[in-house]
Amino acid sequence: MQPDNAGKPIRCKAAVSKAAGQPLEMEEVEVAPPRAHEVRVRIICTSLCHTDITFWRMKDFPAMFPSILGHEAIGVVESVGDHVHEVGVGDAVVPVFLPQCGECADCVSARSNICSALPYRPGVMPRDGTTRFSLAATGEPVHSFLCVSSFAEYTVVDVAHLVKLDVVGPAPALPPEKACLLSCGVTTGVGATWKVAAVEPGSTVAVFGLGAVGLAVAQGAKMRGAKRIIGVDVNPDKFEIGKKMGITDFVNPNDIAEKTAVSEGWGKTVVLGVDGSLAPISVPSFDIMRGRSVTGSLFGGIKPKDDIPVLAHKYLDKELELDDFITHQMGFQEINRAFDLLTQGKCIRCIIWMDDDYGAKENDGA
């Protein structure tokens, strides 16, 4: 049953990005009701990803201002638009930046996870090119971000960007803060070892960069049976948590001159994400000719609606570790502190609860 405010705008708090690199401003925004194929979601908690940091720092397109960042979250369906059948009011859902319509040639193929029916449109909803956010005080439109915009108490998401999770709840079910991690970073890393690299038992894997995605790659490689997992990072503090995720050797590139290279004949390099400068990648043709390969991967090759529920069950079956990724937790009003922690390299994942009564909580050993 739809709530009384279905079909009506909702006013709520949102952390709005108004200028590149500047602190987010807590504003009252108006969230329009969902249109056809859309769902309005009440966010329970969200977390901060390096992709949010990258766009927050950008001065030019594709960064857009004002905007509501955030794309890693867990929420509950508040209301649905026409033609929405797979989720209903009260369902726990994970929003994802990558859609899965389930009908286009790419969605029905095992070779691709990039939906061709709903290409990404910066700052707006994927079907009609408009935004569902505006500043309550002035009516000024506010851009969405990666089709999610989870730094708000309520958001509107296309149903193709939502994954229903039936296992979310108090222990022994999947806690919301753990489900939140499956919305982007952990899924990307684990998925890359599973879907893209296809890590084989007994193999050697090198992971460059030990943030949340890199640590998830290490964990995925361990799950796939890799014998040696080399973690490469300039921060030696990452080694202890890395060992928990399966890293067997730690390398600080500032301390050595030796370079790690993939094997001839079958070695594969998987690129996850982009650097802030969008710099080109140069690879000698001779290396490629001798059987090495370089491939990109969006969301670790994961098809969200098919594979995220599988990962949720792997956590419940104690095959997938999520707890150690969460180094900090805090209320919504402290969101700018989360930005400080991540930009300073002092956290892996910071959970931001929409309920400010939650207060600040930092895990032991963070």
Side-chain angles (χ1 to χ4, degrees):
M1 180 180 295
Q2 296 272 53
D4 292 340
N5 55 5
K8 301 176 183 177
I10 286 179
R11 290 194 172 193
C12 68
K13 289 187 297 183
V16 179
S17 178
K18 295 185 177 181
Q22 296 301 306
L24 306 187
E25 297 183 23
M26 202 61 69
E27 294 272 6
E28 184 180 42
V29 297
E30 188 167 280
V31 185
R35 298 183 185 178
H37 306 286
E38 295 176 358
V39 179
R40 191 158 59 188
V41 177
R42 176 176 63 84
I43 299 296
I44 298 172
C45 62
T46 184
S47 54
L48 183 60
C49 173
H50 274 286
T51 302
D52 299 307
I53 298 291
T54 297
F55 277 82
W56 170 68
R57 286 172 167 164
M58 284 184 183
K59 295 181 180 179
D60 302 313
F61 187 84
M64 307 175 79
F65 304 98
S67 66
I68 299 173
L69 300 173
H71 64 286
E72 192 171 270
I74 177 75
V76 174
V77 173
E78 179 270 339
S79 59
V80 301
D82 293 338
H83 311 303
V84 173
H85 307 293
E86 65 184 88
V87 298
V89 174
D91 285 342
V93 290
V94 168
V96 290
F97 71 90
L98 192 68
Q100 184 181 351
C101 76
E103 299 176 352
C104 70
D106 290 273
C107 283
V108 300
S109 170
R111 295 178 297 176
S112 174
N113 70 329
I114 302 176
C115 176
S116 52
L118 295 171
Y120 175 56
R121 305 173 73 174
V124 294
M125 299 298 292
R127 296 182 196 261
D128 69 2
T130 63
T131 180
R132 301 292 171 266
F133 297 106
S134 60
L135 295 177
T138 64
E140 179 186 359
V142 179
H143 300 290
S144 63
F145 177 65
L146 294 182
C147 300
V148 175
S149 289
S150 59
F151 293 167
E153 292 176 314
Y154 287 86
T155 187
V156 176
V157 182
D158 191 282
V159 69
H161 287 265
L162 284 178
V163 178
K164 180 180 176 181
L165 287 180
D166 294 323
V167 294
V168 176
L174 179 63
E177 68 273 19
K178 309 302 191 306
C180 177
L181 301 180
L182 299 178
S183 186
C184 181
V186 171
T187 296
T188 297
V190 174
T193 66
W194 168 23
K195 297 280 189 173
V196 185
V199 172
E200 298 176 353
S203 58
T204 296
V205 176
V207 185
F208 292 82
L210 299 180
V213 173
L215 291 170
V217 169
Q219 184 176 186
K222 180 181 178 181
M223 294 167 66
R224 297 279 300 182
K227 182 179 180 180
R228 189 181 183 201
I229 304 172
I230 305 167
V232 183
D233 201 290
V234 296
N235 184 355
D237 295 337
K238 297 291 183 70
F239 189 34
E240 286 306 311
I241 187 172
K243 285 193 294 186
K244 295 180 181 179
M245 299 296 177
I247 289 176
T248 58
D249 303 81
F250 183 82
V251 174
N252 188 328
N254 292 331
D255 297 337
I256 63 170
E258 182 182 355
K259 295 182 179 180
T260 301
V262 296
S263 299
E264 291 185 355
W266 49 268
K268 179 180 288 188
T269 298
V270 179
V271 180
L272 299 176
V274 294
D275 73 331
S277 64
L278 303 178
I281 296 174
S282 177
V283 181
S285 58
F286 183 77
D287 290 344
I288 298 296
M289 183 179 67
R290 296 186 66 83
R292 298 183 177 99
S293 65
V294 178
T295 185
S297 173
L298 194 60
F299 210 10
I302 287 289
K303 288 183 181 289
K305 293 179 188 287
D306 296 341
D307 298 325
I308 289 179
V310 173
L311 294 179
H313 281 283
K314 285 186 179 295
Y315 172 79
L316 294 175
D317 293 338
K318 303 188 184 304
E319 298 177 32
L320 177 68
E321 167 59 44
L322 295 175
D323 301 40
D324 286 333
F325 285 94
I326 301 173
T327 54
H328 299 77
Q329 302 189 51
M330 61 190 63
F332 193 26
Q333 292 289 344
E334 294 186 275
I335 190 169
N336 284 308
R337 187 165 77 91
F339 273 71
D340 292 339
L341 289 167
L342 191 59
T343 55
Q344 294 166 13
K346 294 181 178 179
C347 78
I348 304 299
R349 273 297 186 265
C350 177
I351 298 296
I352 302 161
W353 295 88
M354 290 298 135
D355 182 1
D356 280 316
D357 291 337
Y358 173 84
K361 176 184 177 182
E362 298 185 6
N363 293 348
D364 293 337

